[in-house]
Amino acid sequence: MEIRHGWRVLLALFFTLFSPQSHSQELCSQSRAELFAKFESAENRIAFRNDGGLFDGGVCWWHSRLQRSAVYLSRFEPALPRPTENESKDIIEHLVHLDSVVTIPGYSNFNDFSKDHEGLIQNALNEWQIRDGFIRQQWIRGLYGRPSLPPSVLRERMAKIFVKFKASKPGLWVMAQFPGITSHALLFIGMTRTSEGFNLRVIDSNRPEITRELTYRYGDQAIQLGNEGFTPFVGFQADQEKIDSTLKNFCDSKKLAQNN
C-alpha cells in the first residue's frame, strides 16, 4: 500500500465498518418498494448512454448489467475525499464483478460519479463485452430468436415474464430481439397487467436518463420500441443471484461487527 494513499483506504474502511446504522440499513433492509424507487430515480442512473463496444456497436447488455449492480451494491459517503483514479477503477471493477459492496467517497449518487468517470466506466464496459463475447461466447445469444412471434406465442411468453418479474428482485434484465442479429437490453422496473395486456416501465441504456413506458397488447406480434418491434427474453439471472449473495455477506459482516 502506498503511504500517500494508505490514509484514504483506512478512512474509507473506517466509514464502511463503523458508519451509522442508517448507512448499512440503506442496503441491508430495503423493501421491494424502496428498490423500485431507487431504479426510478435519475440520480441512481448511469449518466451517459450506451456507446463504444466492438465495431462501435454499443455495450447495451453490459451497460444494463452495471446499472443493476450499481443500484444494489453502491453506497455513498459525500463527506469523504473523492477517489483517486486507481480507487475509482477498483470501485468500477467490483461493480462489474458483482463481488463487493462499494463505498463511493466524495459523491452522493451514482449519476454524479459516472458523469465524472465516464471514460473509466466505458473502458470497463468494453472489456467486459470482450470477455463475455470471445471468452464466454455470450454473443451467441444475439444470434437466435425472432423479432416477432405469433400472437399466442408472445402472449404466453409475456405471461411467463410477468411471473418472473413478480418473483424476482427489481431490475429484471431482458434481452430485446430486433430484426436480423441485432439484440438490445432493457431493465424491467415496472410491469402491470391490464385487461388488454401489460404496461411496462423500462430503463433503456440508449436513453438512461428517463424511464421509458412501453405497451404490450394481446394480439401483438412484437413490442414496439421507437420505430421497431422486438421480442423479449429474460437473461443474466445469475447476476442477480451473485448480487444477492454479495449483499448477504456484507450485511452479515455488518451485524457481526456491530455485535462485537
Side-chain angles (χ1 to χ4, degrees), residues 8-210:
R8 299 169 63 90
V9 175
L10 291 174
L11 188 59
L13 179 62
F14 176 85
F15 269 80
T16 297
L17 292 176
F18 301 107
S19 56
Q21 176 72 7
S22 59
H23 288 290
S24 60
Q25 291 287 3
E26 189 178 318
L27 294 180
C28 294
S29 60
Q30 298 176 106
S31 68
R32 188 173 174 83
E34 288 170 332
L35 283 166
F36 275 121
K38 286 183 73 172
F39 275 103
E40 289 277 5
S41 174
E43 72 174 15
N44 296 319
R45 303 284 179 88
I46 296 174
F48 57 91
R49 57 164 290 166
N50 169 43
D51 198 5
L54 294 170
F55 312 112
D56 290 325
V59 288
C60 57
W61 293 10
W62 299 272
H63 191 289
S64 296
R65 293 170 72 186
L66 180 67
Q67 177 66 79
R68 176 165 60 178
S69 174
V71 167
Y72 280 98
L73 299 179
S74 299
R75 55 202 298 271
F76 302 90
E77 292 289 356
L80 289 175
R82 289 194 169 186
T84 65
E85 181 171 329
N86 284 336
E87 289 167 347
S88 297
K89 286 180 179 178
D90 286 342
I91 288 168
I92 295 162
E93 282 301 305
H94 282 304
L95 292 176
V96 165
H97 291 287
L98 318 170
D99 60 5
S100 177
V101 169
V102 298
T103 298
I104 302 181
Y107 291 91
S108 58
N109 61 71
F110 197 76
N111 187 268
D112 288 342
F113 174 76
S114 62
K115 190 179 301 178
D116 285 350
H117 297 85
E118 178 176 351
L120 293 179
I121 294 173
Q122 185 65 58
N123 287 340
L125 294 175
N126 293 344
E127 292 170 2
W128 197 0
Q129 181 191 57
I130 290 170
R131 285 197 303 273
D132 278 356
F134 289 99
I135 298 174
R136 302 188 183 103
Q137 297 188 347
Q138 296 282 5
W139 58 272
I140 293 174
R141 297 186 186 203
L143 300 181
Y144 65 80
R146 297 168 55 187
S148 64
L149 292 167
S152 61
V153 176
L154 183 55
R155 179 169 180 163
E156 181 180 0
R157 180 175 296 175
M158 291 299 293
K160 290 180 178 178
I161 290 175
F162 184 61
V163 171
K164 288 184 179 179
F165 178 83
K166 298 290 284 185
S168 300
K169 297 286 183 66
L172 186 68
W173 190 98
V174 176
M175 186 179 85
Q177 183 67 57
F178 285 96
I181 62 171
T182 303
S183 63
H184 190 46
L186 304 167
L187 292 179
F188 277 27
I189 61 171
M191 189 173 187
T192 307
R193 188 192 294 274
T194 71
S195 60
E196 299 179 334
F198 294 100
N199 291 330
L200 309 172
R201 294 178 64 79
V202 306
I203 299 176
D204 177 1
S205 59
N206 287 337
R207 295 290 307 278
E209 73 281 6
I210 64 171

Side-chain angles (χ1 to χ4, degrees), residues 176 178-179 184 186 202 204 206-207 210 212-215 222-230:
F178 285 96
H184 190 46
L186 304 167
V202 306
D204 177 1
N206 287 337
R207 295 290 307 278
I210 64 171
R212 303 192 71 160
E213 298 185 1
L214 309 179
T215 301
I223 301 172
Q224 288 298 125
L225 179 63
N227 295 323
E228 291 191 285
F230 71 89

